[in-house]
Amino acid sequence: MSPRNESPKASGKSGHKHGGHGEKSTTEPVASPGVVSGGDDGTNADVSAPATKGRSAKAARSASRGGRSSAAQPGTAQASAATATGSSVTVGRTDPDGGAGARGRPKATKANGAAKKATGARASARREEAGAQAVQVAPDLIDETARYLFNEGRNFRAHEMLGAHPTEDGWRFAVWAPNAKAVSVIHDRNGWSAGEDALAPQGSSGIWAGVVKGLEAGDAYKYAVDGAAGMREKADPYAFATEVPPKTASVLTGLEYQWHDGEWMARRARAQAPDAPVSIYEVHLGSWRRPASYEALSRELVEYVTRMGFTHVEFMPVMEHPFYGSWGYQTSGFFAPTSRFGPPEGFMALVDALHQAGVGVILDWVPSHFATDAFSLGEFDGTHLYEHADPSRAIHPDWGSYEFNFGRHEVRSFLVSSATFWLERYHADGLRVDAVASMLYLDYSRESGQWVPNEYGGNEDLEALSFLRQMNEHVHEDFPGTLTVAEESTAWPGVTRPASHGGLGFSLKWDMGWMHDTLTHLSRDPIHRRWHYDELTFRALYANSEAYVLPLSHDEVVYGKGALATKMPGDDWQRRANLRLLFGYQWLLPGKKLIFMGGELATWQEWSHESELEWHLLHHPAHAGVARFVEDLNRTYRHFPALHARDLSPDGFMWVDAGARDDGILAWLRFAEGQPAVLAAINLTPVPRTRRLGVPQSGIWAEVLNSDSEIYGGSGVGNGGGVQAEEPSWNGQPYSVEVVLPPLAVVAFTPR
């Protein structure tokens, strides 16, 4: 495969989650006459409002939703490519770095110039035979109000205005390239000849548009953008489909699919309410099972997740990405699911199948940074459009990727439209926003002298804050009942507080502190755990400060960290017992739940995106027992409202015994209004314990969960199915029970 149409290896130097470097650009923006320029600093030039700006807010909102305008009417005078864009330019299929042509074509030379001209002539002849001019250009092809809202950062359905869309007259193309001198569509049918299917500027919006005839769904295309740095061939930022990497062209698609998930969509808001049980299975599409395909996952993953009792699946980024080793976190296609596993409709069918099985779908979404590959968003028209022009902010120091310029209105329209697109067109039930901390702080991973304070002298990125609030407000208004989840690793206040009350407006936040402290504690030898009890008890001090997800994510099982089971001390039996203890502790605490695929198998190998999970372990009863325990955890969690109904309320949790550090015991109660309480206790030592614990109600308390049960691979120590609650009062409760706490285990009881 020629490197012209491949993702350069340079954009993914290693398998790091955000790996990859691009070179900093030193090009200066050059504005075309009559076209708004972004300026050297990447800020927005003034854009005059259209004459229709006085229309009602309802009309403006309608335009922002659609952005559609009819194509040029029959009989309209069409500008030639030379008139609309200057002299027609034909270039070889070469990268600016001199790479060879796409689709295996050789680099353009004098020797092949004649052949190229012949190819273009044949393409023109084919269109003439069809009896139509190839491209229609008109000054008002894109609705004026939609353009205005886009330039103002308030068009949240820009994907309906920009990109490639089928019309009665052909395929309408529109792309934002405000500093370009000329833009044209290049594709197989015109011999990939720049200038032949030219687009025309749409007022002063910076948008170029035109209708190209003779194309069909499935055809590959790019934009030839003649800008300040010369001719560049770029994938469509708003493309709905792409070629299979390492190819890099965009692909035409009408994105047609008939959904069958009406029942789920009708009850989704209730299933995702703050008091609902939410247990999430985090999945990497390419390595759950192999060979991976949307079609196979629609059968196998749906059956597995349903049987295991998870309420949701969270997919690591499905958005197209050039480097497979980035796991999707170096995105290039913000409106296209990766084509590695099938067509876009295949991913729709996967979501549909999960919904029909009653399972919600959360998508990882990365609005913080993007891939530096030459075909992608960076220096799109020869200037810095999507990224910062300031070199100190253009490239992220950790990941070598471009950082989005959140201060630019059109970038906000682009990103919020991406969020809209996945929620609306793919029926996603939530978006988990990656790397929020890197967006909030100007000095994130930067030393003194490498960043500039904001206008108030602080380190907060005010533009990113504005974007996050805007995005969350839009999502919650237009898609009520959906979730936005923040991966935010600092103590930033109000992440899940509504934006109208000064917060960021997310639905949920990952509790990274809980994940770190809990794994640190359980990795200790049990004999030393008594000295570090605060690693488990500290969370109670902040548990109600946000709406939390308790995550055990992919980040904890890569880069030499080992699998969850191998983090645990002791022999293999003790490791699996500690792992069951970890899961039980996680499920019985307040907060929504998330585990990464493979944890339930007690895998010994840390996760690799290059191989499937160790499914053979299920043939071993001890490993199958861990999976059975997770299945029963989900069943118990969903059955008892006390374990989820008051996740966000201080009166939903109470310590019963948090001071028995020498015995390695912790015990607590969970409550729900009008529902039976649940008593939970853990034994952090390999020695069985007997302990009296206070409870609020007399009578038989049934043992509803015991991680040491033999069916889970445990030793079988337990309480014979239940215990009697009676006087004396204990731990501030009117009654008490005497319970046996198995070694390295968690138990739970509820009144019978």
Side-chain angles (χ1 to χ4, degrees):
M1 174 60 63
S2 165
R4 169 59 194 88
N5 206 29
E6 294 183 5
S7 169
K9 294 290 184 182
S11 43
K13 289 189 175 180
S14 70
H16 191 284
K17 171 179 174 181
H18 299 290
H21 280 273
E23 295 182 0
K24 294 184 175 70
S25 170
T26 57
T27 58
E28 297 296 327
V30 177
S32 299
V35 179
V36 62
S37 171
D40 289 352
D41 61 355
T43 57
N44 293 277
D46 290 335
V47 180
S48 299
T52 56
K53 78 172 185 176
R55 70 173 69 176
S56 68
K58 181 177 180 181
R61 184 175 180 81
S62 174
S64 75
R65 286 177 177 272
R68 294 191 179 97
S69 176
S70 60
Q73 298 299 314
T76 300
Q78 304 297 322
S80 68
T83 302
T85 64
S87 300
S88 177
V89 180
T90 302
V91 298
R93 293 281 289 155
T94 60
D95 271 333
D97 61 4
R103 299 170 157 355
R105 290 186 178 83
K107 182 176 178 181
T109 63
K110 292 181 179 179
N112 63 26
K116 188 159 189 63
K117 290 180 180 179
T119 300
R122 287 194 297 271
S124 298
R126 285 195 299 271
R127 285 190 299 274
E128 290 174 3
E129 290 174 3
Q133 187 173 341
V135 62
Q136 298 176 351
V137 290
D140 293 321
L141 199 58
I142 303 298
D143 180 82
E144 187 178 11
T145 301
R147 296 188 328 240
Y148 170 69
L149 292 173
F150 173 74
N151 291 136
E152 288 289 299
R154 294 187 289 118
N155 187 332
F156 300 153
R157 285 177 170 77
H159 54 282
E160 298 177 357
M161 173 181 74
L162 299 172
H165 300 272
T167 72
E168 292 181 357
D169 300 317
W171 286 82
R172 188 195 72 198
F173 294 87
V175 64
W176 178 57
N179 300 300
K181 294 179 286 187
V183 179
S184 59
V185 184
I186 54 176
H187 48 85
D188 272 330
R189 296 172 189 266
N190 68 8
W192 298 88
S193 299
E196 186 164 341
D197 287 330
L199 306 182
Q202 302 293 291
S204 61
S205 65
I207 296 171
W208 299 72
V211 176
V212 179
K213 293 194 174 187
L215 300 180
E216 299 176 355
D219 285 351
Y221 71 98
K222 285 186 176 181
Y223 294 113
V225 183
D226 188 5
M231 187 69 70
R232 295 169 181 248
E233 295 181 0
K234 290 288 191 175
D236 189 343
Y238 290 84
F240 293 164
T242 71
E243 291 183 302
V244 179
K247 294 181 178 180
T248 59
S250 304
V251 174
L252 296 175
T253 177
L255 212 60
E256 298 295 331
Y257 182 78
Q258 183 66 47
W259 290 88
H260 303 90
D261 62 350
E263 181 180 345
W264 165 262
M265 297 296 282
R267 67 181 181 87
R268 176 175 69 183
R270 181 73 211 101
Q272 301 189 154
D275 62 349
V278 174
S279 60
I280 305 166
Y281 188 60
E282 186 187 20
V283 174
H284 178 258
L285 285 166
S287 58
W288 186 73
R289 282 191 188 275
R290 289 198 164 188
S293 71
Y294 296 136
E295 182 179 4
L297 289 164
S298 296
R299 299 187 306 273
E300 298 169 1
L301 179 64
V302 172
E303 187 278 329
Y304 181 78
V305 171
T306 304
R307 174 166 54 83
M308 290 296 292
F310 289 98
T311 67
H312 288 72
V313 166
E314 179 176 317
F315 289 120
M316 293 166 67
V318 302
M319 298 78 185
E320 192 60 271
H321 48 284
F323 179 47
Y324 180 65
S326 76
W327 314 333
Y329 292 99
Q330 293 258 349
T331 304
S332 57
F334 284 80
F335 296 84
T338 180
S339 55
R340 291 173 173 88
F341 313 121
E345 294 79 7
F347 183 64
M348 288 179 166
L350 171 56
V351 175
D352 199 0
L354 285 162
H355 282 175
Q356 291 179 59
V359 178
V361 177
I362 299 171
L363 304 181
D364 274 15
W365 183 57
V366 191
S368 51
H369 59 109
F370 59 93
T372 58
D373 298 69
F375 73 89
S376 188
L377 301 177
E379 301 178 45
F380 191 83
D381 63 359
T383 68
H384 303 283
L385 293 188
Y386 293 90
E387 72 277 12
H388 287 278
D390 180 353
S392 69
R393 300 193 65 186
I395 299 291
H396 196 284
D398 282 352
W399 309 319
S401 49
Y402 280 126
E403 293 190 40
F404 278 110
N405 181 358
F406 302 111
R408 185 145 199 172
H409 299 324
E410 295 87 351
V411 171
R412 291 201 301 276
S413 287
F414 171 80
L415 289 172
V416 181
S417 293
S418 175
T420 298
F421 175 77
W422 294 103
L423 294 170
E424 188 170 73
R425 300 298 295 273
Y426 281 85
H427 289 202
D429 305 300
L431 299 173
R432 178 265 197 183
V433 181
D434 183 66
V436 171
S438 73
M439 302 168 68
L440 295 177
Y441 300 98
L442 295 169
D443 59 346
Y444 186 91
S445 288
R446 291 180 168 91
E447 302 296 331
S448 177
Q450 296 180 331
W451 63 282
V452 178
N454 63 35
E455 60 187 284
Y456 302 106
N459 66 342
E460 304 89 353
D461 190 329
L462 303 179
E463 295 167 344
L465 286 172
S466 174
F467 160 71
L468 289 171
R469 288 168 175 150
Q470 182 184 43
M471 181 274 297
N472 277 312
E473 286 185 316
H474 164 68
V475 167
H476 296 316
E477 178 182 353
D478 276 31
F479 304 96
T482 58
L483 302 172
T484 57
V485 185
E487 185 209 25
E488 205 287 302
S489 56
T490 74
W492 186 280
V495 173
T496 58
R497 188 186 307 144
S500 59
H501 290 70
L504 297 184
F506 285 94
S507 310
L508 297 164
K509 172 184 174 177
W510 275 21
D511 191 344
M512 312 290 280
W514 173 86
M515 178 171 65
H516 176 268
D517 289 349
T518 302
L519 291 177
T520 297
H521 189 84
L522 290 180
S523 68
R524 300 183 188 279
D525 190 296
I527 199 171
H528 299 139
R529 289 173 178 171
R530 69 180 71 184
W531 311 117
H532 306 279
Y533 247 44
D534 60 325
E535 291 169 340
L536 299 186
T537 59
F538 176 73
R539 181 180 188 269
L541 299 178
Y542 69 85
N544 298 113
S545 63
E546 302 278 7
Y548 282 114
V549 176
L550 304 182
L552 292 171
S553 73
H554 67 274
D555 278 327
E556 300 310 306
V557 292
V558 290
Y559 303 133
K561 296 179 182 178
L564 287 179
T566 62
K567 297 177 189 292
M568 306 301 161
D571 58 25
D572 286 353
W573 187 95
Q574 290 175 323
R575 285 180 165 181
R576 285 188 291 265
N578 273 299
L579 184 59
R580 295 193 302 270
L581 169 60
L582 168 64
F583 289 147
Y585 175 65
Q586 177 185 18
W587 253 256
L588 296 175
L589 283 179
K592 310 311 178 186
K593 327 298 176 188
L594 178 144
I595 66 169
F596 182 56
M597 63 181 199
E600 78 282 7
L601 307 179
T603 56
W604 297 125
Q605 302 297 321
E606 75 173 20
W607 172 62
S608 169
H609 61 273
E610 295 291 0
S611 57
E612 73 172 17
L613 298 181
E614 298 172 75
W615 292 106
H616 65 275
L617 293 175
L618 288 178
H619 297 298
H620 301 273
H623 290 269
V626 176
R628 171 73 180 274
F629 180 61
V630 172
E631 180 182 343
D632 286 350
L633 274 175
N634 277 324
R635 183 178 296 109
T636 303
Y637 171 60
R638 298 172 77 163
H639 181 74
F640 292 103
L643 295 178
H644 54 77
R646 290 184 174 175
D647 272 345
L648 308 184
S649 175
D651 60 3
F653 172 89
M654 176 184 292
W655 284 120
V656 171
D657 194 339
R661 65 173 61 230
D662 289 339
D663 292 329
I665 294 171
L666 281 175
W668 61 93
L669 284 162
R670 298 293 308 278
F671 301 100
E673 184 176 0
Q675 299 291 331
V678 173
L679 171 68
I682 61 175
N683 179 4
L684 293 156
T685 74
V687 180
R689 306 284 189 184
T690 299
R691 193 78 172 179
R692 182 166 291 277
L693 301 171
V695 293
Q697 182 177 330
S698 64
I700 299 296
W701 283 62
E703 186 178 62
V704 296
L705 197 68
N706 182 342
S707 67
D708 194 51
S709 171
E710 291 179 348
I711 64 173
Y712 305 138
S715 63
V717 175
N719 293 272
V723 292
Q724 178 70 40
E726 55 192 5
E727 295 180 341
S729 60
W730 209 263
N731 303 125
Q733 297 295 323
Y735 306 98
S736 60
V737 293
E738 190 170 272
V739 302
V740 174
L741 301 177
L744 300 174
V746 57
V747 292
F749 304 86
T750 191
R752 182 172 293 171

